[in-house]
Amino acid sequence: MAVKMAQHKGKAPRLGLALGGGGARGFAHIGVILGLLEEGLAPGLLAGTSMGAIVAALYAVGQDLKRLSELLSMLDLNRLFGVTNSYRRALERAFLQSLFGGLRGHYPGEEDMKLLSRFREFLWLLCKGKRFEELEVELYVVATDLKGGKEVVLHRGAVHEAVLASAALPGVIPPVPMGRMLLTDGGVVNNLPVDIAAERGCDVVLGVLLRTETGFEPRTPADVLLRSFSVASRRLLEMKIERARSLLGEGLVIIRPEVSGIGALEFHKVREALEAGREAVKPCIKVLKDLLRG
């Protein structure tokens, strides 16, 4: 398929970066960005979902990603936020809380709101309290509106609030009210926002997909929920990729870091995920440079 270049006359081709969700696996995104920067490939636009939104925001606000990753690797993030390192166990716990809490009519409960508050403060610090309007790099954050049942692309206002909504992992972080919307994890509707980057004028888009296919046999209600979500989201993902491919042709490049050994809540594996990202981006550096040269 021929490359469809959308660049404006007289302007250099622009590289977009679409970072998918995946919890702790998303630290691989930092490795990808560091690998790109070392080769002189600086993204001009970033679109992110869930953990991908967090990393995209860190880059967009000007954080030193290398130093930050070293700091995060020394923190016990699971203890900091009071969550287990197993998403399956987190969902099982949520089922029980839903059963008993639902009978009492309390959701989100006091502990849920404390967690949301801690996460909000943490993201405010990481995002330097910045607003989208202050950023030198374009940033788009994907969330899901539970009331409207649709995808929401956030690109105005406080960066940390948008990222908070995008990364509100179901069963762990309660949904985030925003105006008339009730927002949760963007991965529900668009786990790899390559279409957003393509539709907003990027000539070349690198998508970083963190999906891990397990094919396990469901043994618990949490297993059934996880597997059902995976099956439903796969077709949505294919549609988003097809949309971006129709706009960019070979200008769409997708990599898949090897993160199958990292659980969604295993935040102690920062270094392992980061190296996976670095390794994944190496083979496509020449391809990206050739595409950007036109």
Side-chain angles (χ1 to χ4, degrees):
M1 183 182 293
V3 180
K4 299 179 182 179
M5 302 299 277
Q7 58 183 292
H8 298 292
K9 193 172 183 179
K11 290 187 177 181
R14 185 163 66 149
L15 173 63
L17 189 58
L19 305 180
R25 305 180 190 107
F27 286 118
H29 294 317
I30 295 179
V32 170
I33 294 175
L34 292 176
L36 291 173
L37 295 178
E38 288 167 3
E39 293 291 336
L41 296 172
L45 178 150
L46 293 98
T49 293
S50 196
M51 188 63 177
I54 294 178
V55 175
L58 295 180
Y59 175 77
V61 302
Q63 286 283 7
D64 184 328
L65 293 182
K66 187 173 183 180
R67 290 184 61 185
L68 184 61
S69 63
E70 292 171 355
L71 172 63
L72 291 175
S73 70
M74 293 186 288
L75 295 176
D76 187 340
L77 295 176
N78 293 91
R79 177 173 292 182
L80 178 64
F81 295 112
V83 298
T84 175
N85 62 7
S86 167
Y87 187 38
R88 188 170 291 104
R89 285 200 296 272
L91 283 179
E92 290 168 349
R93 178 183 176 187
F95 282 144
L96 289 174
Q97 290 178 330
S98 177
L99 174 62
F100 295 106
L103 292 174
R104 295 191 300 269
H106 297 304
Y107 182 80
E110 184 178 349
E111 290 304 312
D112 298 309
M113 297 311 296
K114 285 181 179 178
L115 173 57
L116 184 64
S117 180
R118 286 198 301 272
F119 194 30
R120 174 180 279 115
E121 291 173 3
F122 184 67
L123 290 174
W124 182 85
L125 288 171
L126 290 181
C127 296
K128 300 182 178 181
K130 288 193 174 183
R131 299 176 64 82
F132 283 89
E133 294 80 2
E134 300 176 67
L135 305 179
E136 296 183 5
V137 178
E138 281 189 62
L139 174 65
Y140 297 90
V141 171
V142 179
T144 303
D145 179 13
L146 292 176
K147 287 185 176 179
K150 62 182 180 180
E151 175 181 329
V152 176
V153 181
L154 304 168
H155 58 97
R156 295 188 181 90
V159 173
H160 76 282
E161 282 294 327
V163 172
L164 176 68
S166 181
L169 188 63
V172 179
I173 306 291
V176 178
M178 187 176 291
R180 296 182 178 180
M181 300 181 292
L182 186 62
L183 303 181
T184 192
D185 197 299
V188 174
V189 290
N190 190 348
N191 203 39
L192 187 65
V194 288
D195 58 317
I196 292 172
E199 290 169 354
R200 284 159 177 79
C202 289
D203 306 293
V204 178
V205 173
L206 174 63
V208 186
L209 180 60
L210 302 175
R211 176 183 293 278
T212 57
E213 296 296 343
T214 57
F216 62 86
E217 180 179 348
R219 298 182 183 279
T220 69
D223 286 344
V224 173
L225 180 61
L226 285 171
R227 193 62 182 151
S228 299
F229 176 76
S230 175
V231 171
S233 64
R234 186 183 303 122
R235 179 53 188 156
L236 284 173
L237 175 65
E238 292 170 353
M239 292 171 61
K240 299 296 184 180
I241 292 175
E242 288 170 6
R243 169 61 178 163
R245 186 77 69 191
S246 71
L247 294 171
L248 298 171
E250 293 176 5
L252 174 63
V253 179
I254 297 176
I255 60 174
R256 297 169 172 81
E258 176 46 61
V259 290
S260 59
I262 303 174
L265 297 180
E266 291 183 334
F267 292 104
H268 60 286
K269 296 185 177 181
V270 174
R271 290 191 177 92
E272 183 179 333
L274 191 147
E275 286 306 311
R278 280 186 176 275
E279 289 301 313
V281 78
K282 285 179 181 178
C284 69
I285 292 296
K286 184 179 184 303
V287 173
L288 292 173
K289 287 183 175 180
D290 289 345
L291 287 168
L292 289 167
R293 277 197 292 264

